[in-house]
Amino acid sequence: IPVLTLSGVTRRYSEGDGFLEILRGVNGQLWPGQAVALVAPSGAGKSTLLHIAGLLERPDGGAVAIDGWDASGLDDRARTALRRDRIGFVYQFHHLLPEFTALENVMTPQLIAGLNKAEARERAMELLDYLGLSPRAHHRPSELSGGEQQRVAIARAVANAPALLLADEPTGNLDPETAEKVFSALMTLVRATGLAALIATHNLELAGRMDRRWTLRNGLLVELE
Ligand code: ADP
Ligand code: ADP
C-alpha cells in the first residue's frame, strides 16, 4: 500500500472577489522507501500540497490517505493523532527549541508520544549517532552549525519512526557543501528505514538523485521523467 495517496485534491484561496485555484485535482502515490522531489516555481503550491499531505490543512475537495486510510472523514483530533504517529516534518528553518540540547530536542516528540525518558534517550542517541551527531548531542542549537541544526531537525522529525517524511526546502538556506551533507543524511534514513519522503526543493541536482520527481503545473501534479 502507498504511504501517501492523493486523490483529486483541490485547494483554492479567496483573492479579491474571486478565487485563486492552487490545486485543481492532484493525484499521486508515494510508496515506502521512495524519495520524491517536488520541484516547481515559487507560488506553484508546493507548501500547500505538503500541508495537505501532512494533514495540517484540509483540501477543499478530494482525499488524502495515509497508509491507505482515508483521512477525510476523521475529526481534527484523529487527524492530529494520525499525524503524530505516521508523519514527520522538516522545514527550511530548523525550529529547534533553543533552550534544549540536540538530544533533548530529538527526545521531545517521543516523550510527547508517551515513551519513558530512558527509551526516548536511547532512541534519540541512536539517531544522532546514525547521523554523525553524537559529539554534538549535548549542545544547544545556537552552538551548532547550520547543517548540524538541520540534521538534528531531521533526527527529531523521524524520532517517532514515521512512515512519511515531508520536507519543505530542507536545504534551501544552506551552502552547497552543507546542503549535500543534509541531503545525504535524509537519503541515508530513507534507504535504511523504508521511510517515504516528499521533499520540496529548488536544487535540481539533488532532485536528480531522488527516486522520482513531481512538479505542479496549472494546479495538477505531473510526474517528470
Ligand atoms: P510554493 O510553496 O510553491 O511557493 P504555496 O503553496 O506557498 O506555493 O502558495 C501557492 C499560492 O497560494 C501562492 O500564490 C500563495 O500566495 C497562495 N497562498 C498560500 N497560502 C495562502 C493562504 N493561506 N491564503 C491565501 N493565499 C495563500
Ligand atoms: P540496522 O541497520 O541496525 O538494522 P535500522 O536500519 O533499523 O538499523 O535503522 C537504522 C537507524 O534508523 C537506527 O538509528 C534506527 O533507530 C533508525 N530508524 C529505524 N527505523 C526508523 C524509521 N522508521 N524512521 C526513522 N528512523 C528509523
Side-chain angles (χ1 to χ4, degrees), residues 137-152:
H138 302 291
H139 290 71
R140 290 185 184 182
S142 61
E143 300 165 323
L144 304 175
S145 72
E148 287 168 344
Q149 290 169 350
Q150 198 61 322
R151 279 182 288 151
V152 173

PDB file of all heavy atoms in Angstrom, residues 137-152:
ATOM      1  N   ALA A 137      25.575  16.014  20.775  1.00  0.00           N
ATOM      2  CA  ALA A 137      24.306  15.700  21.446  1.00  0.00           C
ATOM      3  C   ALA A 137      23.965  16.657  22.579  1.00  0.00           C
ATOM      4  O   ALA A 137      22.798  16.960  22.806  1.00  0.00           O
ATOM      5  CB  ALA A 137      24.336  14.258  21.971  1.00  0.00           C
ATOM      6  N   HIS A 138      24.981  17.143  23.288  1.00  0.00           N
ATOM      7  CA  HIS A 138      24.704  17.963  24.469  1.00  0.00           C
ATOM      8  C   HIS A 138      24.875  19.455  24.212  1.00  0.00           C
ATOM      9  O   HIS A 138      24.940  20.245  25.133  1.00  0.00           O
ATOM     10  CB  HIS A 138      25.562  17.479  25.645  1.00  0.00           C
ATOM     11  CG  HIS A 138      25.310  16.035  25.952  1.00  0.00           C
ATOM     12  ND1 HIS A 138      24.116  15.592  26.490  1.00  0.00           N
ATOM     13  CD2 HIS A 138      26.042  14.915  25.727  1.00  0.00           C
ATOM     14  CE1 HIS A 138      24.149  14.271  26.609  1.00  0.00           C
ATOM     15  NE2 HIS A 138      25.308  13.837  26.141  1.00  0.00           N
ATOM     16  N   HIS A 139      24.923  19.806  22.937  1.00  0.00           N
ATOM     17  CA  HIS A 139      24.999  21.223  22.575  1.00  0.00           C
ATOM     18  C   HIS A 139      23.611  21.778  22.284  1.00  0.00           C
ATOM     19  O   HIS A 139      22.741  21.058  21.811  1.00  0.00           O
ATOM     20  CB  HIS A 139      25.878  21.408  21.334  1.00  0.00           C
ATOM     21  CG  HIS A 139      27.328  21.168  21.572  1.00  0.00           C
ATOM     22  ND1 HIS A 139      27.848  19.908  21.792  1.00  0.00           N
ATOM     23  CD2 HIS A 139      28.375  22.018  21.636  1.00  0.00           C
ATOM     24  CE1 HIS A 139      29.158  20.005  21.972  1.00  0.00           C
ATOM     25  NE2 HIS A 139      29.503  21.274  21.895  1.00  0.00           N
ATOM     26  N   ARG A 140      23.448  23.056  22.554  1.00  0.00           N
ATOM     27  CA  ARG A 140      22.208  23.722  22.171  1.00  0.00           C
ATOM     28  C   ARG A 140      22.287  24.139  20.708  1.00  0.00           C
ATOM     29  O   ARG A 140      23.404  24.307  20.165  1.00  0.00           O
ATOM     30  CB  ARG A 140      21.999  24.958  23.040  1.00  0.00           C
ATOM     31  CG  ARG A 140      21.671  24.592  24.456  1.00  0.00           C
ATOM     32  CD  ARG A 140      21.355  25.824  25.252  1.00  0.00           C
ATOM     33  NE  ARG A 140      21.140  25.460  26.652  1.00  0.00           N
ATOM     34  CZ  ARG A 140      20.807  26.317  27.593  1.00  0.00           C
ATOM     35  NH1 ARG A 140      20.644  27.588  27.298  1.00  0.00           N
ATOM     36  NH2 ARG A 140      20.617  25.908  28.825  1.00  0.00           N
ATOM     37  N   PRO A 141      21.129  24.351  20.071  1.00  0.00           N
ATOM     38  CA  PRO A 141      21.118  24.725  18.656  1.00  0.00           C
ATOM     39  C   PRO A 141      22.062  25.879  18.317  1.00  0.00           C
ATOM     40  O   PRO A 141      22.745  25.839  17.288  1.00  0.00           O
ATOM     41  CB  PRO A 141      19.655  25.109  18.404  1.00  0.00           C
ATOM     42  CG  PRO A 141      18.894  24.281  19.380  1.00  0.00           C
ATOM     43  CD  PRO A 141      19.759  24.174  20.598  1.00  0.00           C
ATOM     44  N   SER A 142      22.132  26.889  19.175  1.00  0.00           N
ATOM     45  CA  SER A 142      22.978  28.059  18.877  1.00  0.00           C
ATOM     46  C   SER A 142      24.461  27.697  18.807  1.00  0.00           C
ATOM     47  O   SER A 142      25.266  28.453  18.261  1.00  0.00           O
ATOM     48  CB  SER A 142      22.765  29.146  19.921  1.00  0.00           C
ATOM     49  OG  SER A 142      23.124  28.650  21.203  1.00  0.00           O
ATOM     50  N   GLU A 143      24.820  26.550  19.364  1.00  0.00           N
ATOM     51  CA  GLU A 143      26.221  26.121  19.338  1.00  0.00           C
ATOM     52  C   GLU A 143      26.520  25.189  18.159  1.00  0.00           C
ATOM     53  O   GLU A 143      27.628  24.679  18.042  1.00  0.00           O
ATOM     54  CB  GLU A 143      26.568  25.405  20.648  1.00  0.00           C
ATOM     55  CG  GLU A 143      26.371  26.293  21.868  1.00  0.00           C
ATOM     56  CD  GLU A 143      26.360  25.496  23.175  1.00  0.00           C
ATOM     57  OE1 GLU A 143      25.829  24.368  23.201  1.00  0.00           O
ATOM     58  OE2 GLU A 143      26.870  26.024  24.163  1.00  0.00           O
ATOM     59  N   LEU A 144      25.520  24.961  17.332  1.00  0.00           N
ATOM     60  CA  LEU A 144      25.682  24.046  16.198  1.00  0.00           C
ATOM     61  C   LEU A 144      25.765  24.816  14.886  1.00  0.00           C
ATOM     62  O   LEU A 144      25.223  25.913  14.768  1.00  0.00           O
ATOM     63  CB  LEU A 144      24.490  23.084  16.127  1.00  0.00           C
ATOM     64  CG  LEU A 144      24.203  22.245  17.374  1.00  0.00           C
ATOM     65  CD1 LEU A 144      22.924  21.445  17.186  1.00  0.00           C
ATOM     66  CD2 LEU A 144      25.373  21.324  17.682  1.00  0.00           C
ATOM     67  N   SER A 145      26.421  24.218  13.901  1.00  0.00           N
ATOM     68  CA  SER A 145      26.434  24.804  12.556  1.00  0.00           C
ATOM     69  C   SER A 145      25.048  24.644  11.930  1.00  0.00           C
ATOM     70  O   SER A 145      24.231  23.850  12.402  1.00  0.00           O
ATOM     71  CB  SER A 145      27.484  24.098  11.696  1.00  0.00           C
ATOM     72  OG  SER A 145      27.021  22.795  11.366  1.00  0.00           O
ATOM     73  N   GLY A 146      24.825  25.395  10.843  1.00  0.00           N
ATOM     74  CA  GLY A 146      23.533  25.315  10.158  1.00  0.00           C
ATOM     75  C   GLY A 146      23.204  23.898   9.705  1.00  0.00           C
ATOM     76  O   GLY A 146      22.072  23.438   9.831  1.00  0.00           O
ATOM     77  N   GLY A 147      24.207  23.203   9.196  1.00  0.00           N
ATOM     78  CA  GLY A 147      23.985  21.834   8.734  1.00  0.00           C
ATOM     79  C   GLY A 147      23.693  20.893   9.886  1.00  0.00           C
ATOM     80  O   GLY A 147      22.854  19.998   9.773  1.00  0.00           O
ATOM     81  N   GLU A 148      24.392  21.112  10.996  1.00  0.00           N
ATOM     82  CA  GLU A 148      24.132  20.279  12.180  1.00  0.00           C
ATOM     83  C   GLU A 148      22.732  20.530  12.722  1.00  0.00           C
ATOM     84  O   GLU A 148      22.005  19.591  13.062  1.00  0.00           O
ATOM     85  CB  GLU A 148      25.186  20.557  13.266  1.00  0.00           C
ATOM     86  CG  GLU A 148      26.543  19.966  12.926  1.00  0.00           C
ATOM     87  CD  GLU A 148      27.654  20.465  13.842  1.00  0.00           C
ATOM     88  OE1 GLU A 148      27.461  21.489  14.547  1.00  0.00           O
ATOM     89  OE2 GLU A 148      28.723  19.841  13.852  1.00  0.00           O
ATOM     90  N   GLN A 149      22.351  21.792  12.776  1.00  0.00           N
ATOM     91  CA  GLN A 149      21.000  22.133  13.242  1.00  0.00           C
ATOM     92  C   GLN A 149      19.956  21.415  12.384  1.00  0.00           C
ATOM     93  O   GLN A 149      19.008  20.825  12.902  1.00  0.00           O
ATOM     94  CB  GLN A 149      20.761  23.644  13.140  1.00  0.00           C
ATOM     95  CG  GLN A 149      21.565  24.463  14.134  1.00  0.00           C
ATOM     96  CD  GLN A 149      21.508  25.962  13.839  1.00  0.00           C
ATOM     97  OE1 GLN A 149      21.012  26.382  12.784  1.00  0.00           O
ATOM     98  NE2 GLN A 149      22.027  26.757  14.754  1.00  0.00           N
ATOM     99  N   GLN A 150      20.173  21.444  11.077  1.00  0.00           N
ATOM    100  CA  GLN A 150      19.183  20.845  10.183  1.00  0.00           C
ATOM    101  C   GLN A 150      19.183  19.324  10.308  1.00  0.00           C
ATOM    102  O   GLN A 150      18.132  18.692  10.229  1.00  0.00           O
ATOM    103  CB  GLN A 150      19.463  21.311   8.736  1.00  0.00           C
ATOM    104  CG  GLN A 150      18.320  21.148   7.773  1.00  0.00           C
ATOM    105  CD  GLN A 150      17.064  21.932   8.143  1.00  0.00           C
ATOM    106  OE1 GLN A 150      16.705  22.048   9.307  1.00  0.00           O
ATOM    107  NE2 GLN A 150      16.362  22.433   7.152  1.00  0.00           N
ATOM    108  N   ARG A 151      20.346  18.721  10.565  1.00  0.00           N
ATOM    109  CA  ARG A 151      20.365  17.271  10.770  1.00  0.00           C
ATOM    110  C   ARG A 151      19.700  16.887  12.088  1.00  0.00           C
ATOM    111  O   ARG A 151      19.036  15.853  12.174  1.00  0.00           O
ATOM    112  CB  ARG A 151      21.795  16.732  10.679  1.00  0.00           C
ATOM    113  CG  ARG A 151      22.233  16.539   9.221  1.00  0.00           C
ATOM    114  CD  ARG A 151      23.615  15.956   9.100  1.00  0.00           C
ATOM    115  NE  ARG A 151      24.630  16.936   9.482  1.00  0.00           N
ATOM    116  CZ  ARG A 151      25.817  16.629  10.003  1.00  0.00           C
ATOM    117  NH1 ARG A 151      26.142  15.369  10.202  1.00  0.00           N
ATOM    118  NH2 ARG A 151      26.666  17.574  10.305  1.00  0.00           N
ATOM    119  N   VAL A 152      19.837  17.736  13.104  1.00  0.00           N
ATOM    120  CA  VAL A 152      19.111  17.487  14.353  1.00  0.00           C
ATOM    121  C   VAL A 152      17.599  17.577  14.094  1.00  0.00           C
ATOM    122  O   VAL A 152      16.820  16.750  14.585  1.00  0.00           O
ATOM    123  CB  VAL A 152      19.528  18.487  15.468  1.00  0.00           C
ATOM    124  CG1 VAL A 152      18.646  18.320  16.702  1.00  0.00           C
ATOM    125  CG2 VAL A 152      21.001  18.299  15.822  1.00  0.00           C
TER     126      VAL A 152
END
